[in-house]
Amino acid sequence: MPADVNSMERQTARRVLLIRPHRFRANPQTAASNAFQARDTASSVGLSRMAGLEFERLVSALEDHGVETVVVDDTAEPEKPDAVFPNNWVSFHADGSVILYPMEAPNRRLERRPEIIEQLSERHGYYIKRVLDLSSLEQSGRFLEGTGSLVLDRVNHVAYAALSSRTHPEALGEFARLADYEVMAFSAADAAGNPIYHTNVMMSIGSRFAVICADVI
């Protein structure tokens, strides 16, 4: 969000942060809670190469449709197989708030990089008024993985959340208090009874339409 933005929330972003993957692969630390995750079927080098090509196509597609992109490279060390998903550890809001989230998998906590937030402010004109850090909730097992756990109606300040091991009710309450959101939490599971690990895989809210898989609720 550029420095000249006002405090009125838009539902969809004009500019997005993307992390170019370096060592993308299936993550054994997240497999237990993500029934959709498949085992690696190619070498780690091959997977990283395919992920890199797909990433560059995504950047091009976004820019072709008028969405500005800010691309930051993942670091080689420590290894972070899910670094391509920064929305799980950080969210940005029009009032200048930046929220950092508690992550379930230890190797996903390594994705939080304060220098990225500094770069966004100093190099790209993001308006950052305050950083709200919820990561200490990890110590008590209360996780909330950003806009994976939360599907935000930013205009009306309603947060939808499917409860799972990655989306804890008490962490939701803390987010609601700090960000001034009303939370609508619910249970959702796949056909085998596994909790839907992230809300954003079963619903999405756009400016003119919403998508939801109501059968899993």
Side-chain angles (χ1 to χ4, degrees):
M1 49 192 67
D4 60 352
V5 74
N6 60 34
S7 60
M8 179 66 69
E9 288 276 3
R10 291 165 48 92
Q11 183 57 32
T12 53
R14 292 174 291 194
R15 180 187 292 185
V16 295
L17 167 67
L18 299 165
I19 306 297
R20 180 178 284 110
H22 185 78
R23 301 177 70 177
F24 178 84
R25 61 176 177 82
N27 186 350
Q29 293 190 18
T30 63
S33 59
N34 179 358
F36 300 109
Q37 184 175 170
R39 291 186 177 182
D40 290 345
T41 57
S43 69
S44 58
V45 174
L47 281 171
S48 291
R49 183 179 299 112
M50 288 188 289
L53 291 172
E54 190 170 305
F55 178 86
E56 299 304 333
R57 288 195 291 266
L58 171 63
V59 173
S60 295
L62 289 170
E63 293 179 345
D64 287 346
H65 287 80
V67 179
E68 298 178 46
T69 62
V70 175
V71 177
V72 176
D73 288 333
D74 184 23
T75 55
E77 297 294 340
E79 183 178 2
K80 302 178 289 300
D82 288 319
V84 73
F85 305 114
N87 67 300
N88 295 156
W89 66 264
V90 64
S91 66
F92 300 90
H93 303 265
D95 67 352
S97 296
V98 176
I99 303 179
L100 305 181
Y101 293 92
M103 311 284 283
E104 182 179 54
N107 66 1
R108 293 220 60 194
R109 300 169 193 173
L110 302 172
E111 297 170 27
R112 286 192 299 262
R113 294 168 54 192
E115 73 272 17
I116 291 179
I117 297 172
E118 293 175 5
Q119 290 177 25
L120 293 175
S121 175
E122 296 172 1
R123 301 182 189 176
H124 301 285
Y126 275 53
Y127 171 50
I128 296 176
K129 181 179 179 180
R130 60 177 182 166
V131 177
L132 304 173
D133 190 352
L134 303 180
S135 63
S136 63
L137 296 175
E138 291 166 351
Q139 300 171 18
S140 55
R142 293 175 291 172
F143 308 117
L144 186 67
E145 297 192 339
T147 56
S149 293
L150 301 161
V151 170
L152 301 180
D153 177 346
R154 290 177 177 265
V155 175
N156 297 295
H157 270 223
V158 178
Y160 296 88
L163 299 174
S164 72
S165 64
R166 305 196 198 186
T167 306
H168 194 282
E170 291 182 19
L172 281 170
E174 188 67 3
F175 166 82
R177 182 182 70 82
L178 292 175
D180 190 26
Y181 266 75
E182 176 186 357
V183 170
M184 182 172 290
F186 55 91
S187 298
D190 63 19
N194 300 304
I196 301 297
Y197 75 104
H198 273 167
T199 315
N200 72 339
V201 304
M202 49 79 60
M203 72 176 296
S204 177
I205 300 174
S207 297
R208 298 183 178 88
F209 64 88
V211 177
I212 187 167
C213 180
D215 289 347
V216 302
I217 298 175

